[in-house]
Amino acid sequence: MSIIDPPASPSELRALAEQSNAWPFEQAKAIVARLKKQPKDEVLFETGYGPSGLPHIGTFGEVARTTMVRHAFRVLTEDKVKTRLIAFSDDMDGLRKVPDNVPNKEMLTEHLGKPLTRVPDPFGTHGSFGAHNNARLRAFLDTFGFDYEFASSTDYYTSGRFDATLLLMLERIDKVMAIMLPSLREERAASYSPFLPICPRTGAVLYVPIVAHNFKSGTVSYDDPETKERVTLPVTGGHCKLQWKPDWAMRWVALGIDYEMAGKDLIDSVKLSGKICAALDGTPPEGFNYELFLDEQGQKISKSKGNGLTIDEWLRYASPESLSLFMYREPKSAKRLHFDVIPRNVDDYQQFLEGFPRLDARQQLANPVWHIHAGHPPKADMPVTFQLLLTLVSSSNAENAATLWGFIGRYRPGVTPQTHPRLDAMVGYAINYYRDFVAPTKKFREPTDTERAALQDLRDALSNMQPASSAEDIQNVVYEIGRREPFLDPVKKGKDGRPGVSLDWFNMLYQVLLGQEKGPRFGSFVAVYGLPNSVAMIDGALARSA
């Protein structure tokens, strides 16, 4: 795949980046300012993952966006500061409920409460349920080519990597409690402790009152809820874990995390963890709270509800790059994550790619594809739009790639699946999208008498055109036929000063001829579909409504 050369030297690129207000640069500037106050040899970025379920589209979004900020930071520092991205798995959390989408649910029920890495794998492929989901996470991230280091909470706790910070938290337990208690309900506050013992008898994570904290011995004590015996455990070595807000803060301090973003629903949690981090003499990481995704009804997307799109669903209908564009856009605005946003993002990605070489170096840094491809977007080479492919499938009922390629080959001679593999992939996406979403909702409307007359005139005009007519010539004819009531638009003026044509004319063509509300530029569609096929389609619509 040919690559566009970078627009400038590292120092020139840095100067342009410092002037850019693209959000990854704005985020990266905050990290640069942090580094000036607290110099260090490397900067750590972190993303978190709860392995009680499979990776989902939010996991992709967080890693993709963090990767964009990381690259922006590298540009702003001319890659002179080492950076790492840690994908951290909270696999020491206790299994609270049995997921709906796993086998052997009865077996899992016997292990509720245990750390995910102590729960047997219901799939039978790994040493534990946590290990299974961790493997899925790594495979998921590797599929998209992310540069990251995987980290396991269980490994870090049991290896002693967190011991020093855990002892510090025990020493400053009063400060931590003063931060946490006002945020808790009275009933929970009465028995709250940041430390959760791992029961030596059952292996479960215990949410029990801690009756004693002993900094000198580095231990906590509790009464076993079943045997009523007093048990004392060290807070180190994986014998205890922390409640999640103190755990987040402890991790920031122990690892020296400089940047981590989180969803808007965690704003209060970020603030509390930040205060605990400061109480441990740490500096909370930079970051921002991104808005949540909404489903078709505007409700928050939930893993347990299963509303909204999954990552696999998006990738059935469109490329990873189109999903990256969706994630890049307005991360602080709530967005509907429903199937109908896919076509726009596919075609917008291509438009951004096509426009990139025409921009100057400063403007390129504001183009989403610069951030999606870490400054090296591929050359655009997509002869047709996704919307046009969808309309071709819809108009011809072509549910196989060979038929679609027949249309494309006539429209763009020499363009084949071999010469344009990305277009070939998009043909497959279009067929899947049509089958699942367009075909079930196709509904042709009857034309009015006025519309019938206009369609007849369009049919006659197209039948008299030369077979090799360009899309532009066809569009001009379509436009001219539509220059009549009720389709005139007196506000828009044509090049000749006459009234323009409203969108109602073009919407009518798609509603009557194709049974869909919208479509691509009609002249381009006819050029690809072919004049004889288009005339036959109009004849069919007129006969259907006769």
Side-chain angles (χ1 to χ4, degrees):
M1 186 180 292
S2 52
I3 299 295
I4 296 168
D5 291 332
S9 67
S11 59
E12 293 170 325
L13 197 56
R14 175 183 54 78
L16 292 171
E18 287 171 345
Q19 300 167 26
S20 175
N21 59 4
W23 72 261
F25 284 123
E26 293 295 321
Q27 291 293 298
K29 289 171 191 174
I31 307 172
V32 171
R34 173 191 183 93
L35 217 56
K36 288 180 180 176
K37 295 177 185 175
Q38 298 177 314
K40 54 190 296 195
D41 294 333
E42 69 175 11
V43 166
L44 268 68
F45 297 79
E46 182 179 54
T47 63
Y49 166 65
S52 58
L54 301 178
H56 57 93
I57 208 159
T59 310
F60 172 88
E62 194 165 304
V63 179
R65 287 167 171 166
T66 304
T67 296
M68 292 174 189
V69 176
R70 180 187 182 188
H71 177 254
F73 173 81
R74 293 177 60 184
V75 170
L76 285 170
T77 55
E78 297 182 37
D79 219 3
K80 293 176 181 176
V81 179
K82 183 181 177 182
T83 63
R84 293 160 53 208
L85 169 59
I86 298 174
F88 197 93
S89 171
D90 289 306
D91 58 16
M92 203 166 168
D93 289 351
L95 178 66
R96 297 197 175 190
K97 65 178 183 178
V98 177
D100 292 331
N101 58 347
V102 298
N104 299 313
K105 294 179 184 177
E106 297 79 7
M107 178 270 288
L108 286 182
T109 304
E110 299 174 12
H111 297 277
L112 286 173
K114 292 182 181 179
L116 291 160
T117 45
R118 294 191 185 183
V119 175
D121 179 15
F123 297 92
T125 59
H126 292 79
S128 68
F129 189 35
H132 176 93
N133 287 330
N134 286 340
R136 292 292 295 269
L137 172 69
R138 292 195 295 272
F140 176 83
L141 298 179
D142 292 343
T143 298
F144 299 105
F146 288 121
D147 176 26
Y148 69 97
E149 297 173 24
F150 174 77
S152 157
S153 178
T154 300
D155 291 346
Y156 278 43
Y157 267 101
T158 57
S159 68
R161 190 155 184 179
F162 287 154
D163 283 358
T165 314
L166 289 168
L167 289 171
L168 179 61
M169 184 166 288
L170 185 62
E171 179 185 357
R172 301 190 182 173
I173 189 72
D174 292 339
K175 288 185 178 181
V176 176
M177 293 289 277
I179 293 167
M180 284 302 302
L181 290 180
S183 71
L184 303 173
R185 294 190 306 273
E186 184 177 352
E187 180 183 344
R188 187 162 184 233
S191 62
Y192 180 85
S193 169
F195 292 94
L196 301 175
I198 309 297
C199 180
R201 185 172 53 80
T202 66
V205 180
L206 297 178
Y207 288 80
V208 293
I210 299 297
V211 297
H213 299 91
N214 190 323
F215 168 66
K216 288 185 178 179
S217 63
T219 60
V220 294
S221 300
Y222 68 96
D223 293 331
D224 188 302
E226 293 183 11
T227 67
K228 310 304 180 186
E229 293 181 15
R230 179 68 50 91
V231 180
T232 299
L233 291 177
V235 299
T236 53
H239 293 93
C240 294
K241 75 174 295 295
L242 293 174
Q243 305 253 17
W244 83 271
K245 295 182 186 74
D247 182 83
W248 211 4
M250 180 274 297
R251 204 158 74 209
W252 290 343
V253 174
L255 304 181
I257 301 299
D258 297 291
Y259 187 88
E260 182 165 9
M261 59 178 69
K264 184 181 178 182
D265 55 338
L266 298 181
I267 287 177
D268 291 340
S269 300
V270 170
K271 289 178 181 176
L272 285 171
S273 296
K275 290 178 180 178
I276 296 172
C277 179
L280 303 179
D281 299 331
T283 302
E286 308 302 316
F288 75 92
N289 294 101
Y290 52 81
E291 260 290 0
L292 306 177
F293 300 125
L294 309 176
D295 66 10
E296 187 181 15
Q297 279 75 43
Q299 300 296 311
K300 173 188 166 185
I301 280 179
S302 160
K303 276 193 291 185
S304 59
K305 287 182 184 176
N307 55 339
L309 282 176
T310 67
I311 189 86
D312 290 335
E313 284 171 337
W314 187 294
L315 297 180
R316 172 171 165 77
Y317 308 120
S319 66
E321 291 82 7
S322 64
L323 178 57
S324 293
L325 174 62
F326 180 81
M327 295 300 176
Y328 175 86
R329 286 173 147 163
E330 301 170 335
K332 293 193 175 184
S333 297
K335 291 185 292 188
R336 288 173 68 256
L337 181 57
H338 195 55
F339 75 88
D340 56 3
V341 307
I342 291 177
R344 177 196 165 197
N345 281 278
V346 174
D347 283 339
D348 284 358
Y349 168 76
Q350 293 302 328
Q351 287 185 1
F352 283 124
L353 206 57
E354 288 167 6
F356 188 82
R358 299 191 292 271
L359 303 175
D360 62 33
R362 179 183 60 81
Q363 293 169 328
Q364 286 182 341
L365 299 193
N367 187 313
V369 299
W370 190 92
H371 299 275
I372 291 169
H373 295 284
H376 300 281
K379 288 184 178 178
D381 191 13
M382 195 63 69
V384 296
T385 65
F386 189 62
Q387 185 65 64
L388 183 53
L389 284 176
L390 285 177
T391 306
L392 278 173
V393 181
S394 183
S395 59
S396 62
N397 291 315
E399 293 200 34
N400 65 79
T403 304
L404 276 185
W405 273 107
F407 293 127
I408 296 168
R410 285 196 296 274
Y411 178 62
R412 289 282 190 265
V415 173
T416 69
Q418 290 71 40
T419 63
H420 289 70
R422 285 191 296 153
L423 175 56
D424 192 37
M426 198 157 81
V427 165
Y429 295 143
I431 292 172
N432 289 340
Y433 193 93
Y434 170 77
R435 285 174 179 163
D436 293 352
F437 300 121
V438 180
T441 61
K442 279 183 80 166
K443 187 176 180 180
F444 297 90
R445 84 165 172 83
E446 298 284 316
T448 64
D449 290 342
T450 303
E451 291 169 346
R452 280 184 62 84
L455 285 169
Q456 184 66 54
D457 290 346
L458 177 60
R459 179 240 182 259
D460 295 341
L462 292 179
S463 64
N464 289 324
M465 294 191 75
Q466 294 298 315
S469 297
S470 69
E472 195 63 37
D473 290 340
I474 297 169
Q475 183 73 7
N476 290 336
V477 169
V478 175
Y479 195 86
E480 190 59 40
I481 297 297
R483 200 191 296 275
R484 65 177 75 192
E485 292 292 356
F487 305 119
L488 290 177
D489 186 343
V491 177
K492 295 179 183 176
K493 296 290 184 183
K495 295 177 182 177
D496 54 7
R498 290 192 294 161
V501 178
S502 73
L503 286 176
D504 292 342
W505 163 239
F506 296 98
N507 291 341
M508 182 276 291
L509 293 176
Y510 287 105
Q511 292 163 7
V512 172
L513 300 180
L514 294 166
Q516 60 192 56
E517 289 298 313
K518 303 287 183 183
R521 202 162 183 260
F522 198 76
S524 299
F525 161 67
V526 173
V528 181
Y529 192 43
L531 286 164
N533 289 331
S534 301
V535 169
M537 181 173 63
I538 298 173
D539 285 340
L542 292 172
R544 190 168 55 241
S545 63

